[in-house]
Amino acid sequence: GDPPEGQAKFEPTAGGFRFANELVEYVRQRHRDLCIAAACYPEGHPESPNRQVDLENLKRKVEAGVDFLITQLFFDNADFFAFRDRAARSGVRVPIVAGIMPVLSVRQIKRFTQMCGASIPKDLMRRIESVEDDAESVRHVGMYHATQQCLELLEQGAAGIHFYTLNRSTATRAIYQFIRAELQAARARSAPQPAAIDAMPCRHVRHARPRRRPGRGHLRHARVRMDQIHRLLRQAPRQMPGRPRDLRAALGAGVQRQRPVRHASRVERR
Protein backbone atom coordinates (compact mmCIF):
# COMPACT_ATOMS: atom_id res chain seq x y z
CA GLY A 1 0.00 0.00 0.00
CA ASP A 2 0.92 3.66 -0.07
CA PRO A 3 2.89 4.86 2.95
CA PRO A 4 1.15 7.29 5.30
CA GLU A 5 1.82 10.98 4.87
CA GLY A 6 5.23 11.88 6.20
CA GLN A 7 6.54 8.33 5.88
CA ALA A 8 8.87 7.56 2.97
CA LYS A 9 8.44 3.78 2.93
CA PHE A 10 5.51 1.49 3.61
CA GLU A 11 5.83 -0.57 6.76
CA PRO A 12 3.22 -3.27 7.52
CA THR A 13 1.55 -3.42 10.90
CA ALA A 14 2.29 -6.30 13.21
CA GLY A 15 0.72 -9.43 11.75
CA GLY A 16 -0.42 -7.53 8.65
CA PHE A 17 0.26 -8.06 4.96
CA ARG A 18 3.37 -6.70 3.35
CA PHE A 19 2.62 -7.54 -0.31
CA ALA A 20 -0.56 -7.61 -2.37
CA ASN A 21 -0.30 -11.33 -3.21
CA GLU A 22 -0.63 -12.10 0.52
CA LEU A 23 -3.88 -10.16 0.71
CA VAL A 24 -5.21 -11.76 -2.49
CA GLU A 25 -4.43 -15.26 -1.19
CA TYR A 26 -6.09 -14.50 2.15
CA VAL A 27 -9.30 -13.25 0.49
CA ARG A 28 -9.42 -16.05 -2.10
CA GLN A 29 -9.18 -18.78 0.50
CA ARG A 30 -12.21 -17.39 2.33
CA HIS A 31 -14.31 -16.22 -0.63
CA ARG A 32 -14.01 -18.52 -3.63
CA ASP A 33 -16.76 -16.78 -5.63
CA LEU A 34 -15.52 -13.23 -5.08
CA CYS A 35 -14.15 -11.35 -8.11
CA ILE A 36 -10.75 -9.86 -7.28
CA ALA A 37 -8.94 -7.15 -9.22
CA ALA A 38 -5.36 -6.07 -8.69
CA ALA A 39 -3.01 -3.36 -9.88
CA CYS A 40 -0.25 -3.62 -12.47
CA TYR A 41 2.32 -1.14 -13.73
CA PRO A 42 3.07 -0.73 -17.45
CA GLU A 43 6.19 1.31 -16.65
CA GLY A 44 7.18 -0.80 -13.65
CA HIS A 45 6.44 -0.46 -9.94
CA PRO A 46 8.33 2.50 -8.42
CA GLU A 47 9.87 0.22 -5.77
CA SER A 48 10.79 -2.58 -8.20
CA PRO A 49 14.50 -2.79 -9.18
CA ASN A 50 13.61 -3.64 -12.81
CA ARG A 51 10.67 -4.64 -14.97
CA GLN A 52 11.51 -8.34 -14.95
CA VAL A 53 11.27 -8.50 -11.17
CA ASP A 54 8.06 -6.52 -11.34
CA LEU A 55 6.59 -9.09 -13.77
CA GLU A 56 7.55 -11.94 -11.45
CA ASN A 57 5.77 -10.24 -8.58
CA LEU A 58 2.75 -9.64 -10.81
CA LYS A 59 2.61 -13.31 -11.80
CA ARG A 60 2.79 -14.32 -8.14
CA LYS A 61 -0.12 -12.02 -7.43
CA VAL A 62 -2.21 -13.40 -10.29
CA GLU A 63 -1.54 -16.99 -9.27
CA ALA A 64 -2.82 -16.15 -5.78
CA GLY A 65 -6.29 -15.66 -7.24
CA VAL A 66 -6.62 -12.41 -9.21
CA ASP A 67 -9.41 -12.34 -11.85
CA PHE A 68 -8.33 -9.25 -13.79
CA LEU A 69 -5.79 -6.42 -13.63
CA ILE A 70 -6.09 -2.62 -13.81
CA THR A 71 -3.02 -0.68 -14.85
CA GLN A 72 -1.55 2.35 -13.20
CA LEU A 73 -2.22 5.53 -15.17
CA PHE A 74 -0.13 6.03 -18.30
CA PHE A 75 -0.09 8.53 -21.16
CA ASP A 76 1.74 6.61 -23.88
CA ASN A 77 -0.12 3.63 -25.31
CA ALA A 78 3.15 2.10 -26.47
CA ASP A 79 3.98 1.45 -22.80
CA PHE A 80 0.70 -0.44 -22.36
CA PHE A 81 1.10 -2.58 -25.47
CA ALA A 82 4.68 -3.48 -24.59
CA PHE A 83 3.68 -4.37 -21.03
CA ARG A 84 0.76 -6.49 -22.25
CA ASP A 85 3.08 -8.47 -24.52
CA ARG A 86 5.63 -9.00 -21.73
CA ALA A 87 2.92 -10.15 -19.34
CA ALA A 88 1.55 -12.63 -21.87
CA ARG A 89 5.03 -14.06 -22.48
CA SER A 90 5.54 -14.46 -18.74
CA GLY A 91 2.32 -16.47 -18.38
CA VAL A 92 -0.19 -13.84 -17.23
CA ARG A 93 -3.50 -14.85 -18.81
CA VAL A 94 -6.04 -12.61 -17.02
CA PRO A 95 -7.60 -9.55 -18.73
CA ILE A 96 -5.68 -6.29 -18.39
CA VAL A 97 -7.79 -3.12 -18.17
CA ALA A 98 -6.11 0.14 -19.15
CA GLY A 99 -6.12 2.92 -16.54
CA ILE A 100 -6.64 6.37 -18.04
CA MET A 101 -6.48 9.71 -16.25
CA PRO A 102 -7.44 12.83 -18.23
CA VAL A 103 -5.08 15.74 -17.63
CA LEU A 104 -7.09 18.49 -15.95
CA SER A 105 -4.33 20.37 -14.14
CA VAL A 106 -0.64 20.70 -14.94
CA ARG A 107 0.46 20.90 -11.33
CA GLN A 108 -1.71 17.95 -10.33
CA ILE A 109 -0.54 15.65 -13.10
CA LYS A 110 3.12 16.42 -12.34
CA ARG A 111 2.58 15.51 -8.69
CA PHE A 112 0.77 12.27 -9.58
CA THR A 113 3.37 11.07 -12.05
CA GLN A 114 6.14 11.66 -9.50
CA MET A 115 4.26 9.57 -6.94
CA CYS A 116 3.46 6.56 -9.18
CA GLY A 117 6.49 6.61 -11.45
CA ALA A 118 4.55 7.23 -14.67
CA SER A 119 6.02 9.42 -17.40
CA ILE A 120 4.44 12.13 -19.52
CA PRO A 121 5.33 12.19 -23.23
CA LYS A 122 7.29 15.29 -24.21
CA ASP A 123 4.73 16.24 -26.84
CA LEU A 124 1.87 16.16 -24.33
CA MET A 125 3.89 18.05 -21.72
CA ARG A 126 4.75 20.74 -24.27
CA ARG A 127 1.10 21.19 -25.24
CA ILE A 128 -0.27 21.45 -21.69
CA GLU A 129 2.55 23.74 -20.53
CA SER A 130 1.89 26.08 -23.47
CA VAL A 131 -1.64 26.73 -22.10
CA GLU A 132 -0.85 26.27 -18.40
CA ASP A 133 -2.32 29.67 -17.50
CA ASP A 134 -5.66 28.79 -19.14
CA ALA A 135 -7.39 26.07 -17.10
CA GLU A 136 -10.07 25.50 -19.74
CA SER A 137 -7.49 24.98 -22.49
CA VAL A 138 -5.58 22.54 -20.28
CA ARG A 139 -8.75 20.50 -19.81
CA HIS A 140 -9.41 20.49 -23.55
CA VAL A 141 -5.89 19.28 -24.33
CA GLY A 142 -6.09 16.61 -21.64
CA MET A 143 -9.51 15.37 -22.73
CA TYR A 144 -8.44 15.20 -26.37
CA HIS A 145 -5.34 13.19 -25.51
CA ALA A 146 -7.28 10.79 -23.27
CA THR A 147 -9.93 10.28 -25.96
CA GLN A 148 -7.31 9.41 -28.57
CA GLN A 149 -5.73 7.01 -26.09
CA CYS A 150 -9.02 5.23 -25.45
CA LEU A 151 -9.92 4.87 -29.12
CA GLU A 152 -6.55 3.33 -29.96
CA LEU A 153 -6.63 1.03 -26.92
CA LEU A 154 -10.06 -0.31 -27.76
CA GLU A 155 -9.12 -0.71 -31.40
CA GLN A 156 -6.03 -2.73 -30.40
CA GLY A 157 -8.01 -5.09 -28.18
CA ALA A 158 -7.63 -3.70 -24.67
CA ALA A 159 -9.83 -5.59 -22.20
CA GLY A 160 -11.45 -2.34 -21.04
CA ILE A 161 -10.93 1.23 -19.85
CA HIS A 162 -10.74 2.33 -16.22
CA PHE A 163 -10.93 6.09 -15.63
CA TYR A 164 -9.23 7.79 -12.71
CA THR A 165 -11.74 10.60 -12.11
CA LEU A 166 -10.56 11.90 -8.70
CA ASN A 167 -14.18 12.88 -7.98
CA ARG A 168 -14.27 15.05 -11.11
CA SER A 169 -16.40 13.09 -13.53
CA THR A 170 -17.37 15.82 -16.02
CA ALA A 171 -14.39 15.19 -18.29
CA THR A 172 -14.82 11.42 -18.05
CA ARG A 173 -18.49 11.61 -19.03
CA ALA A 174 -17.64 13.78 -22.03
CA ILE A 175 -14.90 11.38 -23.14
CA TYR A 176 -17.23 8.40 -22.74
CA GLN A 177 -19.98 10.01 -24.81
CA PHE A 178 -17.54 10.87 -27.60
CA ILE A 179 -16.06 7.35 -27.62
CA ARG A 180 -19.53 5.83 -27.72
CA ALA A 181 -20.53 7.99 -30.69
CA GLU A 182 -17.30 7.13 -32.52
CA LEU A 183 -17.76 3.39 -31.98
CA GLN A 184 -21.37 3.53 -33.15
CA ALA A 185 -20.33 5.42 -36.30
CA ALA A 186 -17.54 2.93 -37.00
CA ARG A 187 -19.96 0.03 -36.54
CA ALA A 188 -22.39 1.64 -38.98
CA ARG A 189 -19.63 2.19 -41.55
CA SER A 190 -18.54 -1.44 -41.32
CA ALA A 191 -22.08 -2.81 -41.72
CA PRO A 192 -22.78 -4.40 -45.13
CA GLN A 193 -24.54 -2.02 -47.50
CA PRO A 194 -27.08 -3.10 -50.18
CA ALA A 195 -25.47 -3.40 -53.59
CA ALA A 196 -26.38 -0.80 -56.19
CA ILE A 197 -28.40 -1.95 -59.18
CA ASP A 198 -25.73 -0.82 -61.64
CA ALA A 199 -23.09 -2.83 -59.77
CA MET A 200 -25.04 -6.09 -59.75
CA PRO A 201 -23.72 -8.81 -62.10
CA CYS A 202 -25.81 -9.54 -65.18
CA ARG A 203 -24.72 -13.11 -65.78
CA HIS A 204 -28.26 -14.42 -65.16
CA VAL A 205 -29.94 -12.15 -67.70
CA ARG A 206 -31.19 -14.15 -70.69
CA HIS A 207 -31.50 -12.81 -74.21
CA ALA A 208 -35.02 -12.35 -75.50
CA ARG A 209 -36.21 -15.12 -77.79
CA PRO A 210 -38.63 -14.73 -80.69
CA ARG A 211 -42.21 -15.55 -79.83
CA ARG A 212 -43.24 -19.07 -80.73
CA ARG A 213 -46.51 -20.12 -82.23
CA PRO A 214 -48.96 -21.31 -79.59
CA GLY A 215 -48.73 -25.04 -79.00
CA ARG A 216 -51.33 -27.46 -77.76
CA GLY A 217 -50.96 -26.24 -74.19
CA HIS A 218 -51.75 -22.67 -75.18
CA LEU A 219 -54.78 -23.77 -77.23
CA ARG A 220 -56.08 -25.96 -74.40
CA HIS A 221 -55.83 -23.04 -71.97
CA ALA A 222 -57.65 -20.74 -74.39
CA ARG A 223 -60.40 -23.38 -74.93
CA VAL A 224 -61.02 -23.66 -71.18
CA ARG A 225 -61.22 -19.90 -70.89
CA MET A 226 -63.83 -19.62 -73.70
CA ASP A 227 -65.89 -22.46 -72.16
CA GLN A 228 -66.10 -20.51 -68.91
CA ILE A 229 -67.23 -17.39 -70.72
CA HIS A 230 -69.95 -19.22 -72.73
CA ARG A 231 -71.22 -20.93 -69.59
CA LEU A 232 -71.52 -17.57 -67.88
CA LEU A 233 -73.49 -16.11 -70.79
CA ARG A 234 -75.92 -19.08 -70.92
CA GLN A 235 -76.58 -19.11 -67.18
CA ALA A 236 -77.27 -15.42 -66.63
CA PRO A 237 -78.00 -13.62 -69.91
CA ARG A 238 -80.22 -11.00 -68.28
CA GLN A 239 -77.94 -10.36 -65.30
CA MET A 240 -75.20 -8.83 -67.41
CA PRO A 241 -74.94 -5.03 -67.46
CA GLY A 242 -76.24 -3.45 -70.60
CA ARG A 243 -73.18 -1.32 -71.32
CA PRO A 244 -70.43 -2.91 -73.44
CA ARG A 245 -67.69 -1.24 -71.42
CA ASP A 246 -68.78 -3.26 -68.36
CA LEU A 247 -68.59 -6.59 -70.16
CA ARG A 248 -64.92 -7.25 -69.40
CA ALA A 249 -65.45 -6.60 -65.68
CA ALA A 250 -68.51 -8.85 -65.56
CA LEU A 251 -66.71 -11.69 -67.37
CA GLY A 252 -63.80 -11.39 -64.98
CA ALA A 253 -66.15 -11.63 -62.02
CA GLY A 254 -67.77 -14.73 -63.48
CA VAL A 255 -64.48 -16.48 -64.12
CA GLN A 256 -63.44 -15.80 -60.51
CA ARG A 257 -66.69 -17.49 -59.40
CA GLN A 258 -68.04 -14.38 -57.73
CA ARG A 259 -71.78 -13.85 -57.47
CA PRO A 260 -72.96 -11.74 -60.47
CA VAL A 261 -74.37 -8.30 -59.70
CA ARG A 262 -78.15 -8.07 -60.27
CA HIS A 263 -79.60 -5.29 -62.37
CA ALA A 264 -80.95 -2.37 -60.36
CA SER A 265 -84.40 -2.48 -62.05
CA ARG A 266 -85.02 -6.13 -61.02
CA VAL A 267 -84.14 -5.29 -57.38
CA GLU A 268 -86.60 -2.39 -57.37
CA ARG A 269 -89.44 -4.54 -58.82
CA ARG A 270 -88.96 -7.07 -55.98
Side-chain angles (χ1 to χ4, degrees):
D2 296 330
E5 187 176 357
Q7 185 176 330
K9 188 177 180 181
F10 171 76
E11 294 293 339
T13 59
F17 304 115
R18 183 175 185 83
F19 300 107
N21 66 291
E22 300 172 355
L23 175 61
V24 171
E25 184 177 2
Y26 176 86
V27 174
R28 178 59 69 202
Q29 290 177 352
R30 288 158 178 78
H31 304 280
R32 296 289 181 181
D33 57 345
L34 186 65
C35 182
I36 301 177
C40 59
Y41 301 83
E43 300 178 70
H45 194 280
E47 298 180 4
S48 180
N50 54 63
R51 294 185 177 182
Q52 182 59 37
V53 174
D54 186 48
L55 272 178
E56 294 174 358
N57 293 332
L58 176 63
K59 187 176 180 181
R60 190 178 299 113
K61 184 165 48 177
V62 171
E63 291 174 348
V66 169
D67 293 295
F68 68 97
L69 298 169
I70 302 176
T71 73
Q72 181 60 277
L73 60 92
F74 61 92
F75 299 96
D76 191 346
N77 287 353
D79 294 330
F80 173 83
F81 297 137
F83 167 75
R84 184 177 63 177
D85 294 340
R86 293 196 307 271
R89 289 193 299 267
S90 66
V92 176
R93 296 289 182 264
V94 297
I96 302 178
V97 178
I100 299 298
M101 180 177 175
V103 177
L104 304 178
S105 168
V106 178
R107 184 178 63 179
Q108 181 191 61
I109 202 61
K110 288 181 178 180
R111 185 177 75 252
F112 267 77
T113 53
Q114 291 175 357
M115 290 174 53
C116 66
S119 61
I120 303 178
K122 294 181 180 180
D123 178 57
L124 176 61
M125 179 63 72
R126 177 181 53 80
R127 283 185 288 149
I128 60 177
E129 287 183 340
S130 64
V131 293
E132 186 174 0
D133 297 334
D134 188 349
E136 188 69 17
S137 298
V138 172
R139 285 194 294 269
H140 289 168
V141 173
M143 291 170 59
Y144 175 81
H145 182 82
T147 302
Q148 297 302 313
Q149 275 191 277
C150 294
L151 291 174
E152 184 183 18
L153 289 167
L154 294 175
E155 182 181 358
Q156 297 299 325
I161 304 294
H162 172 81
F163 288 98
Y164 294 100
T165 62
L166 303 180
N167 296 325
R168 300 172 68 181
S169 62
T170 303
T172 301
R173 291 200 307 269
I175 294 172
Y176 167 76
Q177 292 173 359
F178 183 84
I179 293 174
R180 183 179 180 182
E182 284 292 313
L183 293 179
Q184 290 177 347
R187 194 177 297 115
R189 289 193 298 268
S190 62
Q193 300 294 330
I197 296 178
D198 295 337
M200 294 178 64
C202 301
R203 64 182 66 178
H204 299 295
V205 177
R206 297 181 179 179
H207 297 286
R209 298 180 180 178
R211 296 185 60 182
R212 297 181 300 175
R213 297 179 59 184
R216 295 183 178 180
H218 296 80
L219 295 176
R220 187 182 306 110
H221 177 73
R223 190 181 305 114
V224 172
R225 179 71 174 176
M226 293 301 299
D227 292 341
Q228 293 176 347
I229 295 175
H230 287 302
R231 189 180 306 111
L232 176 63
L233 294 174
R234 288 195 302 268
Q235 291 178 354
R238 295 184 180 180
Q239 296 173 4
M240 303 299 298
R243 299 180 181 179
R245 62 183 180 182
D246 297 330
L247 179 60
R248 181 175 300 176
L251 292 176
V255 173
Q256 297 176 7
R257 297 185 179 179
Q258 295 181 2
R259 188 173 181 179
V261 181
R262 296 183 179 273
H263 200 274
S265 60
R266 295 176 62 91
V267 176
E268 292 176 359
R269 286 196 296 271
R270 287 188 178 184

